[in-house]
Amino acid sequence: MAEATPKKPPDWKHITEPIHDAESLKQESINANHDHLITEIETSDGPLGTTLRAVYEGKELSKFRIRLDDKIRNHDREIERMCNFHYQGFIDSIRELLTVRQDAAKLKDEVQQVDQHLQESCVPLMTKGEELVKCRRIQGNIATAVESLNLCLPVLEMYRKLQEQMTSRRFYPALKTLEQLEHTYLPRVNSHWFAQTMADDIPKQRESIKEASMSDLKDFLENIRKHSGKIGEVAMLHAAEQNNMDPAIVKATRKKIKKRRAPPPPNPFTGEVDAPPPPVIQDEEDEIEDSAELSAQDLIDFSPVYRCLHIYSVLGDRERFETYYRKQRWKQARLSLQPPSNMHESLDSFKRYFHDIVGFFVVEDHILNTTQGLVNRAYIDELWEMAVSKLAASLRTNTVQCKDTSMLLDVKNLIILFCHTLRGYGFSVGHVLELLLEMRDQYNDVLTRQWVDIFNEIFSEDNYTPIYVESIEEYTAIVTQFPIQDENLERESFPKRFPFSQFVPDVYNQVKAYINACLKYSADLHLSHTEIDDMIRKSTNLLLTRTLGSCLSSLIKKPSLTLLQLIQISINMNYLEKSCLYLEEYISSITGAQNDSVHMARLHGTTMFKDAKSDAEEHIYKQLNLKIDEFMDLASYDWLLPEAKGHASGYVIDLVAFLQSTFMSFTNLPEKVAKTACMSACKHIANSLKEFLLDNEIRQLTMGSLQQFNLDLIQCEQFAASEPIPGANDGNLLLAFAGIRQLLDLFLNWDWSLYLADYGQTNSKYVRVQPQVALSLLEKLHNADKKKNTIFGSLNKKERDKKKLLDTVLKQLRGLVNGSTQQIQG
């Protein structure tokens, strides 16, 4: 082999050069990193996965390829230069060999001639001498050989048989051969030197048999660890067929593998095993299907266990073997029970996890039933208890992290099939089944979180206007989605208008979808109709009261909602409240439980929808008052106005028009809600008008401004008397303005004598006018009069009398106010 050309020392010249900028440093770092990766690729004897991953995860893949191409070209040049260097020497060596071959041929001919001459000369002598020696030797050895051979040949034959059995790994027959050799044959040849050697070798042979059988056992344990998943999958497929479950929930994603047929078990008397069939490469899914009719004994060769157990039993070391086997299987059990990382992210991870556990206990059950004492029921039960505790902990941890309801359903089905499978092998699975009840809460929580987004999406996409349909098909589609019984609506001609918006049927159908999703989890749990019904009702109650209730509360509290949208939400709540009875009937129909059972839980949606409706109504009142405040903010009174304008203020006219159009949309609201909203609006208007008069920033006002204010109040009273809400003609709306009406009448009529005389009486004409309010307003009039008197000089007799009366009234009002205050303090 040609001597490799030594590598050139690295050129450090460019390193010692001054570094001009950060870009050159970065490029040198990248080149150094690429050189390091190329060196690892050239020198590594193991897998290159880590190096290649570093190459592809880097940001300079194209530069690495250029660097690698340069490296390849350098090696090509070195190979070419080496070949050119050694070519001439190779030619010279060939020429020398050709010359030597000619000389060797000549020498050979000469040696042959000399040998032939010598042979011809010594033939007579050699012939006689050989004949003489042969005869004497034969005579001396024949007798000794015959005697020794008669003794040694059986021993040697038995030892040869032992070696053949050891070579072919037939350890059980080899033990029998050792027994015969030690006790029967070796005592016959004690005088020979090899007898002691054989005797000394017999304990070593026994120990080698133990070690070889233990090696086979270790290979078996390693093999069984690899194939536990396949054994478990086959066992679960059998259980799925027996319990009429879908086999697809068992199968995991597979890859192409080498299939090995397990050899038949050894002959229990001779220990002989037939040669195993050759491996066949096929898809693992096809292999699982082919193995569906096989048992664990058919899939795995258990002969190493039987053989090793028998050998250790014969050699008196059975207890050590049992301890070793149980210890190793206990370790393997812990490995099988250790879940893969991020198991909650993949259903295949759950499947393989269950396959490994089932395969492990199927093997142990087979060992229990086919061996005597290697494992016992107490050991299996202890192992199973440990497995159940770790399995439960792993499933709790991973299912809590699982946020996909379909995966949780598949995991539930896997657990059920897991229990069916191991129950068939005699294992108690009660504690495992209890996990399903814990998972049910997790499943419902995940469902609830999904339905939060669904409800919010419905609310965001709704237009909050009644549904209009123009054909029988559209009408049928709505009444099919949502149960509504309205004879008036049925008699109407198209186009028809439903009182609720689209989110009512959408919410109703999504609640039904949630109920169906909850029902899916109950399948195959072997629960009674009543238990399933109770479980679904409790989950539905949580959905209605917590999820939908909180979503509705958040929706109603949105500041962006208009008054009309709030009104539509209130109407929608009324129909959703009525739909709860239909939801209860639907639950009973799909669960098969009696709808009139005294133990049946009722849906709490009716109360929740009532609360949501009340909340919406409160926001309607608030929103309506806010709109009224917007109009009130437009008010601009001239409190020193000498006389009224003769018509109501513009803001009041606009406010009344707005209220009339708004209350027309209240037709679908309950009459009580509409009346309450109307009364709330009138009271708010009356309070706002009263606040205008009592504003502390207003120091003066005239009778002209009060007359203008009276015109605005008359406009509001006319609105209240116009029956803005059907059925609101009982005069209650006018009572909202009674207080401010009595106040204005008192000042406009200047009826102080009657007010003061009847004060404190229940039948007083001005019973709603408080002395404090009258005093405040009268002082503002008095201030305006004082300013007027200051400007125009002395007063005439009429004005002096009026001023005197005003002072008298002020004095009496102050007395009433002070008396009321003292009475309150007393």
Side-chain angles (χ1 to χ4, degrees):
M1 181 176 180
E3 182 180 359
T5 304
K7 296 183 180 179
K8 294 183 179 181
D11 187 6
W12 300 97
K13 182 178 180 181
H14 68 282
I15 298 179
T16 58
E17 294 178 356
I19 300 175
H20 300 288
D21 52 20
E23 185 64 30
S24 63
L25 279 175
K26 179 180 179 182
Q27 187 61 38
E28 289 176 4
S29 175
I30 294 173
N31 292 340
N33 184 38
H34 289 171
D35 292 340
H36 176 69
L37 293 174
I38 293 173
T39 304
E40 286 188 357
I41 294 174
E42 291 176 342
T43 59
S44 176
D45 294 332
L48 298 175
T50 304
T51 306
L52 295 179
R53 185 190 305 164
V55 170
Y56 281 96
E57 290 180 351
K59 298 181 180 179
E60 304 292 340
L61 180 60
S62 58
K63 293 183 179 181
F64 176 82
R65 290 175 176 173
I66 296 173
R67 198 76 175 177
L68 183 61
D69 291 340
D70 293 342
K71 195 70 173 181
I72 293 172
R73 285 193 293 270
N74 290 338
H75 282 304
D76 291 342
R77 287 194 294 269
E78 290 181 2
I79 292 172
E80 183 179 357
R81 184 170 61 254
M82 184 182 296
C83 292
N84 293 336
F85 178 77
H86 291 286
Y87 178 74
Q88 187 60 41
F90 175 74
I91 296 301
D92 294 341
S93 299
I94 294 299
R95 291 174 178 172
E96 291 178 2
L97 286 175
L98 293 175
T99 304
V100 171
R101 185 176 65 179
Q102 295 175 358
D103 295 339
K106 182 178 180 181
L107 178 61
K108 179 179 178 182
D109 293 339
E110 293 178 356
V111 170
Q112 288 178 348
Q113 292 176 3
V114 173
D115 179 68
Q116 183 178 3
H117 179 72
L118 182 60
Q119 293 290 340
E120 292 175 353
S121 301
C122 296
V123 166
L125 179 61
M126 293 297 294
T127 302
K128 295 295 182 179
E130 288 177 358
E131 291 177 354
L132 179 60
V133 171
K134 184 182 296 184
C135 290
R136 290 181 178 177
R137 185 180 300 156
I138 291 173
Q139 289 177 353
N141 291 338
I142 284 176
T144 304
V146 169
E147 182 180 0
S148 298
L149 286 176
N150 289 333
L151 293 175
C152 296
L153 280 177
V155 178
L156 297 175
E157 181 66 25
M158 188 62 65
Y159 192 77
R160 181 192 63 78
K161 180 180 178 182
L162 173 64
Q163 296 301 320
E164 290 179 353
Q165 291 171 340
M166 293 292 292
T167 303
S168 61
R169 305 182 71 82
R170 297 168 58 195
F171 300 124
Y172 181 66
L175 283 176
K176 292 185 178 180
T177 303
L178 277 175
E179 292 293 328
Q180 294 176 359
L181 187 63
E182 182 179 18
H183 298 97
T184 304
Y185 291 95
L186 283 181
R188 300 176 184 174
V189 291
N190 284 334
S191 58
H192 295 276
W193 62 272
F194 65 84
Q196 187 60 38
T197 302
M198 289 184 179
D200 295 339
D201 189 55
I202 286 176
K204 298 179 182 179
Q205 292 288 356
R206 287 198 177 98
E207 193 63 31
S208 64
I209 289 174
K210 289 175 64 176
E211 293 176 357
S213 63
M214 181 59 70
S215 176
D216 288 347
L217 177 67
K218 291 178 180 179
D219 294 340
F220 166 80
L221 292 174
E222 181 179 356
N223 187 48
I224 202 66
R225 175 77 181 102
K226 295 178 181 178
H227 291 82
S228 287
K230 183 171 66 175
I231 295 172
E233 185 169 357
V234 172
M236 293 181 74
L237 282 173
H238 290 166
E241 293 175 0
Q242 294 171 3
N243 291 275
N244 297 323
M245 298 182 68
D246 184 9
I249 63 177
V250 181
K251 298 179 181 178
T253 305
R254 298 292 177 183
K255 59 182 181 179
K256 292 187 178 293
I257 61 167
K258 276 190 177 182
K259 176 188 175 184
R260 290 186 177 181
R261 287 283 186 180
N267 189 313
F269 300 102
T270 63
E272 298 180 355
V273 182
D274 295 337
V280 178
I281 299 179
Q282 68 174 39
D283 190 84
E284 193 170 351
E285 290 185 0
D286 297 336
E287 181 185 4
I288 293 297
E289 293 178 0
D290 296 340
S291 304
E293 300 300 328
L294 303 178
S295 63
Q297 185 176 5
D298 299 321
L299 294 172
I300 297 296
D301 177 20
F302 288 90
S303 59
V305 180
Y306 306 143
R307 184 166 52 246
C308 193
L309 174 62
H310 186 76
I311 290 172
Y312 271 76
S313 298
V314 170
L315 297 178
D317 207 1
R318 178 188 175 102
E319 183 178 355
R320 175 188 170 192
F321 171 74
E322 291 178 358
T323 302
Y324 176 81
Y325 176 83
R326 295 184 182 185
K327 182 179 179 181
Q328 294 301 315
R329 289 296 283 168
W330 193 278
K331 291 180 180 179
Q332 289 186 350
R334 293 184 179 275
L335 292 176
S336 297
L337 291 167
Q338 183 176 356
S341 59
N342 298 326
M343 185 170 71
H344 62 280
E345 297 178 356
S346 170
L347 181 61
D348 284 341
S349 298
F350 279 101
K351 291 180 179 180
R352 294 190 181 97
Y353 181 59
F354 284 113
H355 293 166
D356 283 343
I357 297 173
V358 172
F360 177 87
F361 283 100
V362 167
V363 169
E364 287 305 288
D365 180 76
H366 183 76
I367 293 294
L368 175 66
N369 295 322
T370 56
T371 61
Q372 297 180 354
L374 180 56
V375 294
N376 51 35
R377 177 52 63 183
Y379 163 79
I380 294 292
D381 291 342
E382 181 182 1
L383 195 60
W384 174 245
E385 289 179 3
M386 181 272 292
V388 168
S389 62
K390 290 188 174 294
L391 172 66
S394 299
L395 290 178
R396 287 191 187 98
T397 302
N398 286 277
T399 54
V400 166
Q401 300 177 21
C402 184
K403 306 304 179 185
D404 186 1
T405 54
S406 60
M407 181 180 290
L408 285 173
L409 284 175
D410 291 334
V411 172
K412 185 244 350 179
N413 292 330
L414 276 174
I415 294 175
I416 292 174
L417 186 54
F418 172 84
C419 293
H420 286 325
T421 304
L422 290 181
R423 185 189 288 119
Y425 287 91
F427 293 95
S428 174
V429 295
H431 293 294
V432 182
L433 290 174
E434 291 176 358
L435 282 173
L436 297 176
L437 300 179
E438 298 180 19
M439 283 181 56
R440 179 189 64 189
D441 298 334
Q442 170 65 14
Y443 175 79
N444 290 337
D445 289 342
V446 175
L447 272 183
T448 301
R449 286 192 290 269
Q450 290 182 358
W451 256 254
V452 169
D453 298 332
I454 291 174
F455 288 141
N456 288 332
E457 183 178 359
I458 291 174
F459 298 153
S460 63
E461 294 178 355
D462 193 50
N463 57 8
Y464 298 97
T465 57
I467 300 175
Y468 283 87
V469 293
E470 299 181 353
S471 64
I472 187 64
E473 291 80 9
E474 295 179 356
Y475 177 80
T476 305
I478 297 298
V479 297
T480 302
Q481 294 178 21
F482 182 76
I484 178 173
Q485 298 178 357
D486 191 339
E487 296 180 357
N488 295 329
L489 183 62
E490 292 178 359
R491 287 193 296 266
E492 289 180 4
S493 59
F494 289 99
K496 297 183 179 183
R497 183 178 72 90
F498 287 92
F500 47 79
S501 66
Q502 183 60 42
F503 96 57
V504 170
D506 288 346
V507 167
Y508 180 79
N509 288 320
Q510 285 302 326
V511 173
K512 289 175 64 176
Y514 177 87
I515 293 170
N516 293 329
C518 291
L519 184 63
K520 286 182 180 179
Y521 191 87
S522 304
D524 299 323
L525 291 184
H526 303 291
L527 299 175
S528 65
H529 295 303
T530 304
E531 290 174 328
I532 296 175
D533 186 87
D534 184 64
M535 180 187 73
I536 292 179
R537 287 175 183 270
K538 288 181 180 179
S539 301
T540 307
N541 276 329
L542 289 176
L543 176 75
L544 293 176
T545 56
R546 294 185 182 178
T547 307
L548 182 55
S550 62
C551 291
L552 286 173
S553 178
S554 301
L555 171 66
I556 294 171
K557 292 177 182 178
K558 282 185 177 180
S560 60
L561 286 180
T562 64
L563 180 60
L564 294 179
Q565 289 175 331
L566 284 170
I567 294 171
Q568 187 62 57
I569 291 173
S570 178
I571 296 171
N572 291 347
M573 293 303 101
N574 188 39
Y575 285 91
L576 286 175
E577 176 185 346
K578 298 177 181 178
S579 69
C580 289
L581 293 176
Y582 297 100
L583 289 175
E584 289 189 355
E585 293 177 358
Y586 179 73
I587 293 174
S588 299
S589 65
I590 63 175
T591 59
Q594 295 295 328
N595 196 25
D596 56 352
S597 175
V598 294
H599 301 290
M600 182 177 296
R602 298 298 177 184
L603 294 184
H604 300 160
T606 302
T607 304
M608 186 277 296
F609 288 126
K610 285 182 179 179
D611 294 340
K613 182 171 63 175
S614 299
D615 194 12
E617 291 168 359
E618 290 295 328
H619 280 76
I620 289 173
Y621 306 150
K622 292 179 182 178
Q623 189 73 18
L624 185 59
N625 292 339
L626 288 175
K627 293 296 294 185
I628 293 173
D629 289 339
E630 291 179 6
F631 285 98
M632 289 296 180
D633 291 339
L634 299 176
S636 178
Y637 284 103
D638 182 5
W639 298 107
L640 299 178
L641 191 69
E643 60 182 10
K645 298 178 181 179
H647 57 80
S649 302
Y651 85 92
V652 174
I653 296 175
D654 294 339
L655 172 61
V656 170
F658 163 76
L659 291 176
Q660 289 174 343
S661 63
T662 300
F663 288 135
M664 289 179 62
S665 63
F666 281 31
T667 54
N668 290 319
L669 279 176
E671 182 179 349
K672 180 181 178 181
V673 177
K675 288 183 178 180
T676 303
C678 192
M679 176 60 74
S680 174
C682 291
K683 287 182 178 179
H684 191 70
I685 294 173
N687 292 333
S688 299
L689 292 175
K690 188 175 182 180
E691 288 176 359
F692 283 155
L693 294 176
L694 301 180
D695 188 357
N696 293 328
E697 294 182 0
I698 300 174
R699 302 294 183 182
Q700 304 172 22
L701 55 83
T702 63
M703 291 300 294
S705 63
L706 288 179
Q707 292 171 355
Q708 179 63 41
F709 197 80
N710 183 54
L711 293 176
D712 294 343
L713 179 60
I714 292 173
Q715 188 74 23
C716 294
E717 288 174 332
Q718 289 176 352
F719 165 75
S722 65
E723 193 178 356
I725 298 296
N729 57 354
D730 52 1
N732 288 331
L733 295 180
L734 286 173
L735 292 177
F737 300 99
I740 192 169
R741 164 50 60 201
Q742 292 180 10
L743 180 62
L744 283 179
D745 287 348
L746 175 61
F747 277 85
L748 294 177
N749 298 329
W750 207 250
D751 203 0
W752 293 107
S753 59
L754 180 62
Y755 173 76
L756 295 173
D758 294 343
Y759 177 76
Q761 298 180 11
T762 57
N763 57 352
S764 173
K765 180 179 178 181
Y766 304 104
V767 69
R768 296 178 183 270
V769 179
Q770 298 177 357
Q772 298 91 333
V773 175
L775 177 62
S776 175
L777 199 58
L778 192 59
E779 287 177 345
K780 293 177 181 180
L781 279 173
H782 183 59
N783 292 336
D785 289 342
K786 286 195 299 183
K787 182 177 181 181
K788 180 179 177 181
N789 295 335
T790 304
I791 296 174
F792 295 103
S794 61
L795 301 174
N796 55 34
K797 183 177 183 298
K798 182 179 179 181
E799 291 176 347
R800 288 197 300 271
D801 293 340
K802 182 178 179 182
K803 180 178 181 300
K804 183 178 179 181
L805 176 61
L806 182 60
D807 293 337
T808 303
V809 172
L810 284 173
K811 183 177 179 181
Q812 293 180 357
L813 286 176
R814 290 190 183 99
L816 291 176
V817 171
N818 294 332
S820 300
T821 304
Q822 292 174 1
Q823 185 178 2
I824 293 173
Q825 292 176 353

